Amino acid sequence: MKRTSFNTGWLVSGIAGSKESTAVTLPHDAMLYERRDPATANGYHTGFYPGGVYRYSNTFFAPKAWHGQHVVMEFEGVYMRSEVYLNGVLIGGRPSGYAEFRVTLDDNLKYGEENLLEVVANNPSGPNSRWYSGSGIYRPVSLLVGPPLHIDPAGVRLRTVGLNGTTAKLNARATVVNDDTGPRTSVLRLRLTGPDGQEHSVSSRELVVQAGTCAVHDVDFVLDGAHLWSPDQPHLYDVYAELSNGDSVLDAVGDTFGIRLVTVDAERGLQINGITTKLRGGCIHHDNGVIGAHTLDAAEERRIRILRDAGYNAIRSAHNAVSRATLRACDKLGMLVMDELGDEWWRPKSRDGFSQHFLEWWQRDLDALIDKDYNHPSVIMYSIGNEIGEVSTDQGKALGYQIAAHARAADPGRYVTNGVNVFLSFIAPKDEPKAELKKTESDKKGDNPEKTIALLNFLMGAFEKLTPLLLRLPQAEKRTKDAQFALDVAGYNYGHDRWARDSKRYPDRVIVGTETFPTTTPALWRLINSMPNVIGEFVWTAWDYIGEAGIATQQYDSPRRLFQPYPALLAGAPIIDITGYRQPWSYYNQIVWGLRKGPLMAVRPLNHSGKKRAKNNWRPTDALRSWSWSGYEGVEAEVEVFADAYRVELHLNDKFIASKKIREKNLFRVAFLLPYTPGKLTATTYDKAGNVTGSDMLTSAGPETLLRVQAETSEATASGSDLIYVNVELTDNNGVLKPLADRPVTVRVEGEGMLLGFGSANPTTTEELSSTTHSTYQGRAQAVIRTTARPGEITLTATAEGLTQTTVKMTTSDKPANKSTELLRGSGGPDRTNPQPI
C-alpha cells in the first residue's frame, strides 16, 4: 500500500490555558505545553506535569479515485486511551499509549468531499504512569492507500535462519490480502538490494487469493557473500515486494533489513554472527529531554549516537515498546535493543495505569510490538515485563509462560526475557486478578499502588546491606524460579547477588542484568567478564529523564528521600543528562569497560563542600569536570581521578600535590583532597615501569563571563521534522565553562524554524521546558529548533542580563543535511581539557 505522511494540517484543543484550537505538526506532545502543577495527582511521577483530554482534528479531501480502494490510517503511538473518529463515527482507538494501531477508513469516507478525522487522547491526571508520559499524538501518523488486493500493511518479514561464514540462509514471508468480492490472481516478486548496490532476486510466485481471505508467500533462500549486520559493521539491505497482474503493478512495499544471526547459551553467552558479545547496556525512557515526548528521527538518532560514543552497545526500552525512529537509528548505528512490552500486568503500580487493560489487550499489543520490530536487526530480545510481582502467583506463572510462548511463535528469531525483581517477588502478595474495581472503591479501601512501588525502590536504595541477605534466602529463589524457567534469558532487576548462586543451581541458565545501579557497574563488570552465561547488564539509566523526580539527585545534610517534592522535575540520573551532555561517570564507565585508559578528573562541587552526601545507589558521584570555583579559594576540594593505570600524580599549577597507587580494590578510582586555588590542575598516570600512560587537565575560568551559543549543526532539512540542537553556555574568553555563573537566558527564534523546547539539566526547577526563558544549570542550557517545511535561514538570538547578546545562524534546504558528530560533545568535556582523543 502507498504510504504517505499524515503529520501536517492538524489542530489540537484541550491544552490548559488555551481556549482555542492550535495548529500543530505531528508528532506533538501536548503535556509539554501544560503548566507544571504542585497539586497535580501525577505528582513526582511526571515531574508535576498534569495531563488532560486532548482532541486532535484534521480535515482532508478524499479523492473519488479512493472509492474501491483500501484506506488505512496508521498511528505509531497516542498517549493514551485513544479514540479515533471519522466524520463523527468512532472507528477505532487503543488503550495503550505505546502500541501501534491502524484504523480502516473505508466504510465512513465521503469520496470527492472533505472529511473530518478526529483523535481523542484521554490522559487526565491519574496518575497512569510512573514517569513522564507525554500526551497526545506524540509519534507519527501515516496514511496507507491500496487496492482491494494488496500486501498486508505489516509488509514483508525477513529472518536470518542460518549462517555459515557469509553464506546466509534467509526466510521471507509476505501476506497478500484480498478485500475484493471475488478471487484474485497475482504475481508476488521479492528482491533485495545490498549495501553495495547489488540486487538479488529472491522469488517470484503466482498467488490465488479468495475473497475476504489472505495468502501467505513463505520462502527460504540462500544468499552468498552476504554483508552482515553487527554493532561494529551495521550493514543494511533494502527489501522490495511487488504485487502485479500482467504488466500492471497493483501494490508494492519497501523496507530495510539486516542479515545477522543471534544465539545464546550458557557456555558461549550471547553471540552475534558467532562472535561473543557482552552487553554494555543502558535503560532509556522515551522522552527526549527538553522537547518532552516528541518522537522525531533527528532526536532519536542523536541520542543513540551519543550513547554509542559513550561506549554503550545496547539499550533497553523502559518500560514500553520503543519507537520506530529509535529502531531506525539503532539499525543504522549498530545499537542492540531489548524491546519491552510494558510495566504492568494485572496488578497496578499507579492508580489509573494500564493494568486494567492488560489481560484483554496484551496479545494484540505484543503482536503490534513484534510487527514493528521484525525486520530490525538491532532488536535481539523481547522483554515481556518489568518488575512484575504477579510472577510469584500461580496465574502469573502461567501467564508468563503464555506470553513468552506467544512471542516465540510470532518471532522465532529472537529471545524472550523479563525484568524480574527478586526482592519485589519476595515481598509481593499472592493475590490473583479480580474484576476491575472502580477508582472510588479502590480509594475507599486505601489502595495506593504508587506507595508500594516507591517503598520497594526505597528499600532497595536504602538497605543495600540488607537486600543481598534477603536475596539469598531460599524463599526468594522459590518465588521467581518459574518466572525464569519461562524465559530464554533470565532477567534480573537488581538481583546480581543471585547470579553466581543461581548459575550453580541451574548451569544452563543464561542471565542478563535487566536493571542495575550505576554504582555497581565497576564491580559487576568483573563478574560479567568472569561468567560466560551472564551476557551483560542494563544500567538504570544511561540517559536522564523527566519524572520519577529526584530519585537519583544528590541530597545533602538530610535523610535521603526517594522522590522529591515540587519543583523537582528530573530523575537526575548521573551518566548522560537530558541535553545529551556526558557526565564524568560516563567516561568512568568506558574505563571500566576497557574502552579507554584515562585519566579523567572530576571535582565535587565546592559550593557543597563540607556537606554530608546522602548515599544513593543511583547517584555514585556529584563531581563535575570543572576547576572553576571562584569565591571558594582555600575551601577543601575533593578531586576524583578515574584511570586504568598503576599510579596517578596530581599537580596544581605545576606544583606536585600527591601521588596514589590505583589498587584493584579502588576499581579504577582514587580521590585527592587539597585546598582550592585557581589555575591549572593536572593528573598524570604511570604504569609499573614508571612510563607515562596519560594525562588530563582542568583549568580555571577567567573573571569575564560570555554568553556562548553554538549549534551542533549549521544545516538541516526543511522537512518540518528535522531538529537543530543549540547549546547555550556561560564561559570565559577561552571557552572554559563557569558552573557558578548561572542566570536566566532568553532565546528568540526567527525564520524557517520554531523553538520546540528550551531547558537545562537542572533536576529541580520551577521553569517550563516550553518557555523562551530558562536558567542555565552548572553553566549550560539547550534550545532545540524544529525546522519548517520551507527552505531558508534560521536565526537564534540569546540574551541574558549583564551579558552581550549572541546570535547564531543556520540554514535549511530540501536536501538531507550532513550533520557532523564532532559538535555532539559540548564544551567543558574531555575534548577541550584532555589531550587524549575521545
Side-chain angles (χ1 to χ4, degrees), residues 130 316 319 340-349 355 358 383-393 395-397 399-400 403 417-426 428-429 453 456 479-480 483 491 493:
R130 296 194 296 119
R316 171 192 179 215
H319 302 287
E340 193 153 82
L341 178 61
D343 187 46
E344 297 181 2
W345 285 4
W346 72 75
R347 185 179 292 152
K349 295 179 182 176
S355 59
F358 183 80
S383 170
I384 61 175
N386 170 67
E387 295 182 343
I388 306 297
E390 299 93 304
V391 298
S392 61
T393 69
Q395 182 159 342
K397 296 171 187 176
L399 184 57
I403 298 173
T417 189
N418 191 352
V420 177
N421 189 305
V422 180
F423 187 63
L424 174 61
S425 301
F426 181 77
I453 199 70
L456 163 70
R479 299 196 73 174
T480 58
N493 274 26

Side-chain angles (χ1 to χ4, degrees), residues 452-473:
T452 301
I453 199 70
L455 176 63
L456 163 70
N457 285 332
F458 178 77
L459 289 173
M460 291 176 58
F463 298 114
E464 62 255 3
K465 293 183 179 179
L466 178 62
T467 300
L469 299 177
L470 293 175
L471 295 181
R472 291 168 190 159
L473 294 176

